[in-house]
């Protein structure tokens, strides 16, 4: 699936967001190397800290279905410029995706920022940091 279609899929995913509190809808589309698309939206909760972001929804869906290799993540929201993923999502993306995988951040006006996972979170905490020797 092309980048243009992936942006469309992320926008479709965004429509399904459950955001009674923030009213801020986010959509994500994750493409696996074998060509599957996993959609994600943010899902909020009256206990605010339980809100789950769109990016993590898409990644956890794919991972929990046993699909582990991805080559593109698109994230979209109605922001002035390309949407900026939160720190928690940057950390989860760094954990589960290849450091060189492409990430496309965009908005409803199709302003696009392309970067890699390692650019999204330089110096991410990783399994290497858990090794003492
Ligand atoms: N949100 C996302 O879904 N992804 C991000 O990267 C930024 C924030 C959601 C969480 C919450 O539902 C709403 O946007 C406002 O923070």
């Amino acid at each position: 699936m092309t980048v243009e279609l992936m942006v469309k899929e992320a926008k479709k995913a965004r429509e399904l967001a459950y955001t009674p509190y923030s009213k801020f809808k986010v959509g994500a589309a994750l493409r696996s190397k074998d060509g599957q698309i996993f959609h994600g939206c943010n899902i909020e909760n009256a206990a605010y800290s339980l809100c789950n972001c769109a990016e993590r929804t898409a990644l956890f869906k794919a991972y929990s279905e046993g699909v582990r290799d991805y080559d593109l993540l698109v994230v979209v929201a109605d922001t002035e410029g390309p949407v900026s993923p939160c720190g928690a999502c940057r950390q989860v993306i760094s954990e589960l995706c290849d450091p060189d995988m492409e990430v496309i951040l965009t908005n409803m006006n199709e302003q696009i920022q392309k970067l890699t996972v390692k650019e999204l979170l330089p110096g991410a905490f990783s399994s290497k940091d858990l090794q003492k020797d």
Side-chain angles (χ1 to χ4, degrees):
M1 183 176 279
T2 63
V3 165
E4 290 72 28
L5 285 175
M6 283 290 289
V7 169
K8 274 196 182 154
E9 293 302 312
K11 285 183 173 173
K12 271 201 256 171
R14 179 177 169 273
E15 290 306 311
L16 297 175
Y18 173 68
T19 58
Y21 308 104
S22 74
K23 318 276 189 215
F24 184 76
K25 290 174 184 282
V26 186
L30 177 70
R31 188 176 67 194
S32 61
K33 284 187 180 165
D34 63 2
Q36 297 182 70
I37 309 299
F38 294 88
H39 299 86
C41 61
N42 50 335
I43 301 172
E44 301 189 338
N45 195 285
Y48 296 160
S49 64
L50 298 181
C51 294
N52 200 64
C53 293
E55 302 89 314
R56 277 179 285 152
T57 303
L59 264 168
F60 291 161
K61 280 173 68 180
Y63 206 86
S64 61
E65 292 297 328
V67 181
R68 305 275 153 104
D69 297 316
Y70 322 110
D71 62 7
L72 178 64
L73 174 69
V74 177
V75 190
V76 66
D78 189 7
T79 39
E80 206 169 296
V83 62
S84 176
C86 78
C89 286
R90 287 172 196 250
Q91 180 67 28
V92 170
I93 293 164
S94 300
E95 178 79 30
L96 300 180
C97 302
D98 189 283
D100 294 313
M101 190 189 88
E102 187 174 24
V103 180
I104 291 182
L105 308 175
T106 187
N107 63 6
M108 303 314 280
N109 309 320
E110 244 107 292
Q111 286 179 293
I112 279 190
Q113 183 182 5
K114 287 184 186 185
L115 66 179
T116 61
V117 166
K118 63 177 184 254
E119 287 168 338
L120 199 60
L121 186 56
F125 185 80
S126 76
S127 58
K128 288 196 195 104
D129 295 297
L130 296 171
Q131 287 159 15
K132 280 191 200 151
D133 38 47

